[in-house]
PDB file of all heavy atoms in Angstrom:
ATOM      1  N   THR A 291     -10.193   6.144  -6.360  1.00 95.00           N
ATOM      2  CA  THR A 291     -10.404   7.555  -6.669  1.00 95.00           C
ATOM      3  C   THR A 291     -11.375   7.644  -7.841  1.00 95.00           C
ATOM      4  O   THR A 291     -11.241   6.902  -8.809  1.00 95.00           O
ATOM      5  CB  THR A 291      -9.074   8.233  -7.068  1.00 95.00           C
ATOM      6  OG1 THR A 291      -8.144   8.095  -6.001  1.00 95.00           O
ATOM      7  CG2 THR A 291      -9.270   9.693  -7.378  1.00 95.00           C
ATOM      8  N   VAL A 292     -12.349   8.529  -7.718  1.00 95.00           N
ATOM      9  CA  VAL A 292     -13.252   8.821  -8.828  1.00 95.00           C
ATOM     10  C   VAL A 292     -13.104  10.302  -9.126  1.00 95.00           C
ATOM     11  O   VAL A 292     -13.200  11.140  -8.230  1.00 95.00           O
ATOM     12  CB  VAL A 292     -14.719   8.479  -8.489  1.00 95.00           C
ATOM     13  CG1 VAL A 292     -15.633   8.807  -9.663  1.00 95.00           C
ATOM     14  CG2 VAL A 292     -14.858   7.021  -8.099  1.00 95.00           C
ATOM     15  N   LEU A 293     -12.839  10.626 -10.387  1.00 95.00           N
ATOM     16  CA  LEU A 293     -12.566  12.010 -10.754  1.00 95.00           C
ATOM     17  C   LEU A 293     -13.153  12.349 -12.115  1.00 95.00           C
ATOM     18  O   LEU A 293     -13.553  11.467 -12.867  1.00 95.00           O
ATOM     19  CB  LEU A 293     -11.053  12.264 -10.766  1.00 95.00           C
ATOM     20  CG  LEU A 293     -10.185  11.328 -11.626  1.00 95.00           C
ATOM     21  CD1 LEU A 293     -10.115  11.796 -13.062  1.00 95.00           C
ATOM     22  CD2 LEU A 293      -8.812  11.232 -11.032  1.00 95.00           C
ATOM     23  N   GLU A 294     -13.203  13.632 -12.400  1.00 94.00           N
ATOM     24  CA  GLU A 294     -13.589  14.091 -13.729  1.00 94.00           C
ATOM     25  C   GLU A 294     -12.362  14.731 -14.352  1.00 94.00           C
ATOM     26  O   GLU A 294     -11.707  15.569 -13.733  1.00 94.00           O
ATOM     27  CB  GLU A 294     -14.721  15.106 -13.647  1.00 94.00           C
ATOM     28  CG  GLU A 294     -15.200  15.562 -15.007  1.00 94.00           C
ATOM     29  CD  GLU A 294     -16.409  16.481 -14.937  1.00 94.00           C
ATOM     30  OE1 GLU A 294     -16.900  16.756 -13.829  1.00 94.00           O
ATOM     31  OE2 GLU A 294     -16.854  16.924 -16.000  1.00 94.00           O
ATOM     32  N   THR A 295     -12.031  14.307 -15.568  1.00 94.00           N
ATOM     33  CA  THR A 295     -10.839  14.844 -16.220  1.00 94.00           C
ATOM     34  C   THR A 295     -11.041  16.316 -16.549  1.00 94.00           C
ATOM     35  O   THR A 295     -12.159  16.770 -16.809  1.00 94.00           O
ATOM     36  CB  THR A 295     -10.506  14.064 -17.512  1.00 94.00           C
ATOM     37  OG1 THR A 295     -11.625  14.104 -18.383  1.00 94.00           O
ATOM     38  CG2 THR A 295     -10.135  12.631 -17.198  1.00 94.00           C
ATOM     39  N   GLU A 296      -9.954  17.048 -16.546  1.00 92.00           N
ATOM     40  CA  GLU A 296      -9.991  18.485 -16.809  1.00 92.00           C
ATOM     41  C   GLU A 296     -10.063  18.749 -18.310  1.00 92.00           C
ATOM     42  O   GLU A 296      -9.700  17.888 -19.116  1.00 92.00           O
ATOM     43  CB  GLU A 296      -8.743  19.135 -16.225  1.00 92.00           C
ATOM     44  CG  GLU A 296      -8.688  19.040 -14.715  1.00 92.00           C
ATOM     45  CD  GLU A 296      -7.419  19.609 -14.126  1.00 92.00           C
ATOM     46  OE1 GLU A 296      -6.521  20.017 -14.890  1.00 92.00           O
ATOM     47  OE2 GLU A 296      -7.319  19.630 -12.898  1.00 92.00           O
ATOM     48  N   PRO A 297     -10.482  19.939 -18.679  1.00 89.00           N
ATOM     49  CA  PRO A 297     -10.513  20.285 -20.112  1.00 89.00           C
ATOM     50  C   PRO A 297      -9.117  20.644 -20.617  1.00 89.00           C
ATOM     51  O   PRO A 297      -8.779  21.806 -20.784  1.00 89.00           O
ATOM     52  CB  PRO A 297     -11.477  21.471 -20.168  1.00 89.00           C
ATOM     53  CG  PRO A 297     -11.435  22.059 -18.808  1.00 89.00           C
ATOM     54  CD  PRO A 297     -11.119  20.949 -17.858  1.00 89.00           C
ATOM     55  N   TYR A 298      -8.310  19.620 -20.821  1.00 80.00           N
ATOM     56  CA  TYR A 298      -6.948  19.832 -21.314  1.00 80.00           C
ATOM     57  C   TYR A 298      -6.957  20.022 -22.825  1.00 80.00           C
ATOM     58  O   TYR A 298      -7.938  19.702 -23.500  1.00 80.00           O
ATOM     59  CB  TYR A 298      -6.028  18.677 -20.910  1.00 80.00           C
ATOM     60  CG  TYR A 298      -6.544  17.306 -21.284  1.00 80.00           C
ATOM     61  CD1 TYR A 298      -6.314  16.762 -22.544  1.00 80.00           C
ATOM     62  CD2 TYR A 298      -7.257  16.540 -20.368  1.00 80.00           C
ATOM     63  CE1 TYR A 298      -6.792  15.520 -22.886  1.00 80.00           C
ATOM     64  CE2 TYR A 298      -7.731  15.287 -20.714  1.00 80.00           C
ATOM     65  CZ  TYR A 298      -7.497  14.784 -21.973  1.00 80.00           C
ATOM     66  OH  TYR A 298      -7.966  13.543 -22.309  1.00 80.00           O
ATOM     67  N   ASP A 299      -5.846  20.496 -23.363  1.00 72.00           N
ATOM     68  CA  ASP A 299      -5.719  20.723 -24.804  1.00 72.00           C
ATOM     69  C   ASP A 299      -5.502  19.380 -25.496  1.00 72.00           C
ATOM     70  O   ASP A 299      -4.478  18.737 -25.329  1.00 72.00           O
ATOM     71  CB  ASP A 299      -4.546  21.669 -25.077  1.00 72.00           C
ATOM     72  CG  ASP A 299      -4.394  22.023 -26.549  1.00 72.00           C
ATOM     73  OD1 ASP A 299      -5.258  21.618 -27.352  1.00 72.00           O
ATOM     74  OD2 ASP A 299      -3.411  22.706 -26.885  1.00 72.00           O
ATOM     75  N   VAL A 300      -6.467  18.936 -26.295  1.00 61.00           N
ATOM     76  CA  VAL A 300      -6.411  17.625 -26.927  1.00 61.00           C
ATOM     77  C   VAL A 300      -5.328  17.553 -28.003  1.00 61.00           C
ATOM     78  O   VAL A 300      -4.842  16.473 -28.307  1.00 61.00           O
ATOM     79  CB  VAL A 300      -7.756  17.236 -27.578  1.00 61.00           C
ATOM     80  CG1 VAL A 300      -8.124  15.827 -27.243  1.00 61.00           C
ATOM     81  CG2 VAL A 300      -8.861  18.169 -27.219  1.00 61.00           C
ATOM     82  N   ASN A 301      -4.919  18.659 -28.549  1.00 64.00           N
ATOM     83  CA  ASN A 301      -3.931  18.653 -29.628  1.00 64.00           C
ATOM     84  C   ASN A 301      -2.492  18.668 -29.119  1.00 64.00           C
ATOM     85  O   ASN A 301      -1.570  18.418 -29.875  1.00 64.00           O
ATOM     86  CB  ASN A 301      -4.145  19.855 -30.561  1.00 64.00           C
ATOM     87  CG  ASN A 301      -5.503  19.800 -31.225  1.00 64.00           C
ATOM     88  OD1 ASN A 301      -5.968  18.727 -31.600  1.00 64.00           O
ATOM     89  ND2 ASN A 301      -6.155  20.942 -31.336  1.00 64.00           N
ATOM     90  N   GLN A 302      -2.316  18.982 -27.849  1.00 60.00           N
ATOM     91  CA  GLN A 302      -0.972  19.047 -27.282  1.00 60.00           C
ATOM     92  C   GLN A 302      -0.521  17.639 -26.897  1.00 60.00           C
ATOM     93  O   GLN A 302      -1.253  16.855 -26.311  1.00 60.00           O
ATOM     94  CB  GLN A 302      -0.970  19.938 -26.031  1.00 60.00           C
ATOM     95  CG  GLN A 302       0.369  20.044 -25.377  1.00 60.00           C
ATOM     96  CD  GLN A 302       0.285  20.848 -24.078  1.00 60.00           C
ATOM     97  OE1 GLN A 302      -0.766  21.227 -23.633  1.00 60.00           O
ATOM     98  NE2 GLN A 302       1.433  21.115 -23.493  1.00 60.00           N
ATOM     99  N   VAL A 303       0.718  17.325 -27.251  1.00 56.00           N
ATOM    100  CA  VAL A 303       1.274  16.016 -26.920  1.00 56.00           C
ATOM    101  C   VAL A 303       2.319  16.194 -25.822  1.00 56.00           C
ATOM    102  O   VAL A 303       3.186  17.050 -25.920  1.00 56.00           O
ATOM    103  CB  VAL A 303       1.909  15.343 -28.159  1.00 56.00           C
ATOM    104  CG1 VAL A 303       2.584  14.051 -27.798  1.00 56.00           C
ATOM    105  CG2 VAL A 303       0.850  15.119 -29.222  1.00 56.00           C
TER     106      VAL A 303
END
Side-chain angles (χ1 to χ4, degrees):
T291 302
V292 179
L293 54 85
E294 183 175 359
T295 57
E296 295 177 356
Y298 53 86
D299 183 5
V300 225
N301 298 322
Q302 179 185 6
V303 175

